[in-house]
Amino acid sequence: MSDTAATIFTAIAGGLIAVAVVYISYRAGRRQTTDEATVEHGQWLRGQRQQGYLTFVDTWDTKVESLQGLQRSWEARVSEYEQSDRQEDPAEASSRLMGDAWRAVRRDLERVELLGPQRIDLALRAMEDAFREMQDVITAQALDGATCPHWDEWTPVLARANKARFNFHAAAIRTLRQPPSPEGESEGLAE
């Protein structure tokens, strides 16, 4: 019985060890696959973010420049409008331009918002607020006509818009420089 018991005991121990090795190998392989998938998704998301951030900043710069052009040419537009019946009313032109600008900015802003993370969302809110402030100054000017009482407000509003863009850029850099890891996004991105 001792030889038989020893053989049986050895077989059972060997079987348990084999089952344990198979289970550990299975878990390790599964973990490795999960880690690889997480990193691959992180790389894809990083690329999407980079593309979205660059598109948004490009649209932002273009539309802010068009609002600055409107502000710079305001008095000339009003003067031409008052002297000619064929010119478009500056108030109507500014309203149309601001609507077009906001639609373009909002489209790209929403895409970036979907891509996150939270630090980007906070920077986007500041940019959205700054853009609306620029629109408010132009709208107030359009309502008051050629007297231009609101252009004194333009420079501080434009400075806030530039600061918001700078802060967005800094947040985008911090986000994009965070390498993908097997743990997914780090807690630091949710600041």
Side-chain angles (χ1 to χ4, degrees):
M1 176 147 152
S2 73
D3 284 341
T4 307
T7 304
I8 293 174
F9 179 71
T10 304
I12 291 174
L16 289 175
I17 290 172
V19 168
V21 167
V22 167
Y23 178 74
I24 291 170
S25 297
Y26 169 76
R27 295 290 292 171
R30 196 171 152 165
R31 177 67 183 174
Q32 181 180 358
T33 302
T34 302
D35 289 351
E36 288 173 5
T38 301
V39 169
E40 187 176 319
H41 174 72
Q43 290 170 339
W44 174 84
L45 183 59
R46 189 178 188 187
Q48 292 295 308
R49 284 177 173 165
Q50 182 178 16
Q51 183 181 16
Y53 297 171
L54 290 173
T55 300
F56 172 67
V57 167
D58 185 47
T59 300
W60 170 269
D61 290 345
T62 301
K63 297 309 176 182
V64 167
E65 182 60 37
S66 70
L67 293 181
Q68 286 180 286
L70 178 65
Q71 186 273 335
R72 284 190 298 267
S73 66
W74 183 262
E75 289 186 45
R77 288 177 183 229
V78 170
S79 178
E80 288 175 14
Y81 177 70
E82 290 173 347
Q83 295 174 5
S84 172
D85 291 338
R86 292 177 281 184
Q87 294 291 327
E88 183 179 19
D89 181 0
E92 291 174 15
S94 67
S95 178
R96 182 178 34 74
L97 183 104
M98 287 188 304
D100 292 345
W102 175 243
R103 280 188 292 281
V105 167
R106 186 187 69 216
R107 177 196 64 229
D108 291 341
L109 182 143
E110 288 172 349
R111 178 172 185 225
V112 169
E113 196 172 43
L114 288 172
L115 295 169
Q118 186 177 4
R119 78 165 53 124
I120 293 295
D121 294 344
L122 297 174
L124 283 175
R125 292 292 72 77
M127 290 181 81
E128 182 179 9
D129 291 345
F131 198 87
R132 292 215 185 266
E133 285 182 39
M134 287 188 292
Q135 287 181 308
D136 290 346
V137 170
I138 292 173
T139 300
Q141 182 58 51
L143 293 174
D144 288 344
T147 58
C148 300
H150 300 285
W151 290 143
D152 291 342
E153 299 169 22
W154 183 256
T155 301
V157 166
L158 187 59
R160 283 191 292 278
N162 288 334
K163 182 180 178 185
R165 186 198 182 284
F166 176 81
N167 289 339
F168 173 82
H169 186 253
I173 287 172
R174 283 193 314 271
T175 299
L176 293 174
R177 288 189 180 164
Q178 179 76 30
S181 72
E183 291 81 34
E185 289 200 345
S186 69
E187 294 300 317
L189 291 178
E191 293 173 346

